[in-house]
Amino acid sequence: MQLYGTEISSRLLLGTAQYPSPAILTQAIEASGCEIVTVSLRRETADGSGAGFWDVLRATGKHILPNTAGCHSVAEAVTTAHMAREIFGTRWIKLEIIGHADNLAPDVFALVEAARVLSEDGFQVFPYTTDDLVVGEKLLTAGCEVLMPWGAPIGSGQGLRTPDALRAMRAHFPETLLIVDAGIGRPSDAVQAMELGMDAVLLNTAVAKAGDPVGMARAMSLALDAGRAGRRADPMEPRDMAVPSTPVLGLAELG
């Protein structure tokens, strides 16, 4: 998988918030096999008060994908992205602009504008978006090479609420990297995302808030591998009626 020219083997991107301790976070990252971890600028501040957390992430040796979590406007997101580039030393930015306080849905109008501004300024943007095809097209036109549609509201663990829409995105953007971001709650959700043809999954709460975060991180990694292998094996289509697995013709007639 190529993300803005960087080759990545793991299909799992892991968030770093809400873990019981830095030690468990580190163990979960290693158990997941992920190569990319996301972090909010609010965990790292310009005055250095978040230096301890940054040291923990740097010690993992993983790629850092800073995000603009908590931003509600274009100006706020762009400013946060510039600060993140200075602190983390990367052009990658996961762009989040929240438009609704209750379900944390992205403000797609502001998202497209901020993506354009940041792309023109040399950022490599990972936009947290909806599963709307028109919005996806506008984000690609704005300079994004990756789309990150939500599966369900952030932290909800509801799984993929609109699998048909994600299936349509895969068909409409066959050459674009699609990463499901938000809503994954169980390994079965991750399997479903990969079977739909998604390229990767980004999750946080499902692992951080599990009874055993390290075990769940490992389970999610296995789920992604299983889902992708199933997709590549070209699974059978559902049928309306039963079809006998044993041929009827040629059976002996006993009487």
Side-chain angles (χ1 to χ4, degrees):
M1 181 171 64
Q2 293 279 338
L3 293 173
Y4 288 104
T6 299
E7 185 172 336
I8 302 295
S9 298
S10 173
R11 303 276 168 166
L12 175 60
L13 290 71
L14 196 62
T16 57
Q18 307 182 71
Y19 285 83
S21 69
I24 292 179
L25 167 61
T26 300
Q27 293 170 31
I29 290 173
E30 293 307 314
S32 73
C34 73
E35 296 174 49
I36 299 174
V37 294
T38 67
V39 59
S40 169
L41 185 66
R42 285 161 174 75
R43 301 298 297 273
E44 278 289 329
T45 57
D47 63 8
S49 61
F53 184 72
W54 175 222
D55 288 341
V56 169
L57 294 185
R58 183 157 37 199
T60 67
K62 308 300 182 181
H63 294 282
I64 303 297
L65 174 59
N67 66 57
T68 62
C71 292
H72 291 79
S73 69
V74 173
E76 188 179 8
V78 169
T79 299
T80 301
H82 279 89
M83 295 174 64
R85 183 165 61 181
E86 291 184 18
I87 292 173
F88 297 107
T90 177
R91 291 195 294 155
W92 284 4
I93 190 72
K94 179 190 169 188
L95 182 61
E96 296 182 28
I97 302 181
I98 300 304
H100 195 283
D102 291 334
N103 64 10
L104 303 182
D107 180 338
V108 296
F109 304 100
L111 183 69
V112 171
E113 175 61 17
R116 181 191 63 78
V117 171
L118 292 172
S119 295
E120 290 177 354
D121 196 30
F123 283 89
Q124 297 171 331
V125 180
F126 296 67
Y128 165 61
T129 183
T130 65
D131 50 29
D132 186 276
L133 300 182
V134 176
V135 175
E137 289 178 344
K138 291 185 178 297
L139 286 168
L140 295 179
T141 300
C144 300
E145 296 182 11
V146 178
L147 297 177
M148 303 181 73
W150 65 347
I154 293 172
S156 68
Q158 295 177 6
L160 307 184
R161 296 204 303 184
T162 55
D164 287 343
L166 293 175
R167 187 180 292 110
M169 286 195 78
R170 179 71 290 165
H172 193 73
F173 302 112
E175 304 301 325
T176 301
L177 284 172
L178 300 179
I179 302 174
V180 169
D181 178 12
I184 298 294
R186 298 173 181 271
S188 55
D189 301 331
V191 170
Q192 184 184 18
M194 300 307 286
E195 287 180 341
L196 289 173
M198 301 297 104
D199 294 289
V201 165
L202 192 158
L203 55 86
N204 186 167
T205 310
V207 170
K209 290 300 185 180
D212 177 6
V214 178
M216 184 59 75
R218 185 176 297 109
M220 288 294 186
S221 177
L222 293 171
L224 263 68
D225 288 344
R228 180 166 170 78
R231 169 78 177 189
R232 292 166 66 90
D234 191 17
M236 64 175 285
E237 293 297 324
R239 298 165 173 170
D240 293 332
M241 299 179 64
V243 178
S245 57
T246 301
V248 176
L249 296 178
L251 292 180
E253 293 186 11
L254 303 177

